[in-house]
Amino acid sequence: MYTKNFELTIPTNISFVLYRYDYIDSILVSRLRKECKNHPTGQKGIHKISVEGFKRAVETSPRLRKEIEKARLMVIPTPNLRVNSILFLWNIIEALPNLKWLTFKISEEKEYSRIMEVHDREILTFHYNIEEGVFNLTEILNREELDEFNKELITNGIMENKYFDRMNYIWMRASNFFDLISCFEKRGSSIAHKIYQSVDPKIDEDDPTLLVITDYTSY
């Protein structure tokens, strides 16, 4: 039931920074503002666009399309390679099959670097946060485990103990989700092991809002 790529299916919305004074970033910002619908976030200076809109905006730009072609050829970036945000973003989008939204802000910083020193080596990085995600428990837990999970939700008042009033999903922060999973860990339940095995530590670090899909039956 569990697949090693399950963690890649979780992110649905990521956030990142584009730099106004970076050449490629400035072209990208101009293109996205012109071609993409900006979905309100309630936060000043924060832009939210669809992944499909991003792809369309980039692929219809001759200049940016050349960068995509480089991204498709890039395997492991090195400091000697002229890597930019387009290359990173395109590879991230390709790797995350359920990614629907991109949220970004534009930085006015003139001094910045995407090079990070790790173990005395310089590596190119592109930092992003997972803002929202979907965690489909039906893909990693069996029927008995799903029932055990749902009963814990009911016990904690998270889910209604009424068959017709109960949804097959819940919204919660990742931190609250993992607090809940710790209850199963203390009991030695297989649920905790399966879930911890299925997620990348970045989910815990970024603490996104999760749509947790659970199944249910009448109890």
Side-chain angles (χ1 to χ4, degrees):
M1 187 175 293
Y2 164 74
T3 64
K4 65 179 181 179
N5 291 324
F6 177 82
E7 61 189 28
L8 298 178
T9 69
I10 297 175
T12 57
N13 180 12
I14 63 171
S15 65
F16 51 89
V17 176
L18 294 176
Y19 295 92
R20 183 182 298 278
Y21 295 101
D22 178 272
Y23 174 63
I24 290 295
D25 280 17
S26 65
I27 296 176
L28 179 58
V29 166
S30 176
R31 187 70 179 170
L32 296 181
R33 280 179 163 175
K34 179 181 178 182
E35 300 294 334
C36 297
K37 178 181 179 181
N38 184 36
H39 297 261
T41 63
Q43 296 175 280
K44 186 178 180 180
I46 303 297
H47 306 268
K48 183 179 181 181
I49 61 174
S50 69
V51 167
E52 289 307 311
F54 174 89
K55 285 184 173 181
R56 185 168 55 253
V58 172
E59 289 179 322
T60 53
S61 165
R63 177 67 183 87
L64 296 178
R65 192 165 57 245
K66 290 180 181 179
E67 298 302 320
I68 297 175
E69 293 169 2
K70 293 179 185 178
R72 288 171 176 154
L73 295 174
M74 183 182 72
V75 180
I76 302 176
T78 65
N80 295 326
L81 183 65
R82 295 184 63 182
V83 180
N84 52 58
S85 56
I86 290 287
L87 274 71
F88 280 109
L89 280 170
W90 196 263
N91 282 313
I92 290 170
I93 289 171
E94 293 290 289
L96 305 178
N98 287 332
L99 191 63
K100 304 298 182 187
W101 301 100
L102 301 175
T103 303
F104 65 94
K105 68 177 181 179
I106 303 166
S107 173
E108 300 289 340
E109 289 183 52
K110 294 183 178 180
E111 294 184 11
Y112 62 89
S113 176
R114 289 190 170 119
I115 295 179
M116 180 183 296
E117 190 169 304
V118 179
H119 301 304
D120 297 324
R121 293 184 59 189
E122 289 187 338
I123 61 171
L124 284 162
T125 63
F126 184 88
H127 180 75
Y128 70 92
N129 288 324
I130 300 172
E131 297 293 334
E132 298 172 312
V134 58
F135 204 107
N136 192 345
L137 290 173
T138 66
E139 293 185 5
I140 57 176
L141 302 182
N142 59 36
R143 177 70 267 164
E144 183 179 343
E145 291 165 335
L146 286 169
D147 286 347
E148 183 183 352
F149 184 86
N150 288 336
K151 288 176 181 177
E152 187 69 26
L153 292 179
I154 292 170
T155 299
N156 284 274
I158 300 172
M159 178 183 283
E160 289 285 341
N161 191 17
K162 296 179 181 179
Y163 182 69
F164 291 109
D165 293 340
R166 200 158 64 232
M167 304 295 290
N168 67 341
Y169 63 87
I170 52 173
W171 288 95
M172 61 196 320
R173 301 288 298 191
S175 53
N176 295 329
F177 177 70
F178 288 117
D179 285 344
L180 185 66
I181 300 309
S182 67
C183 297
F184 296 103
E185 184 178 21
K186 292 174 183 176
R187 296 201 295 263
S189 170
S190 59
I191 291 176
H193 174 72
K194 285 188 176 182
I195 289 177
Y196 289 145
Q197 187 182 33
S198 304
V199 298
D200 187 280
K202 187 169 178 58
I203 297 293
D204 192 19
E205 294 166 5
D206 291 351
D207 194 22
T209 299
L210 295 177
L211 171 64
V212 181
I213 299 177
T214 177
D215 203 353
Y216 59 82
T217 186
S218 54
Y219 302 120

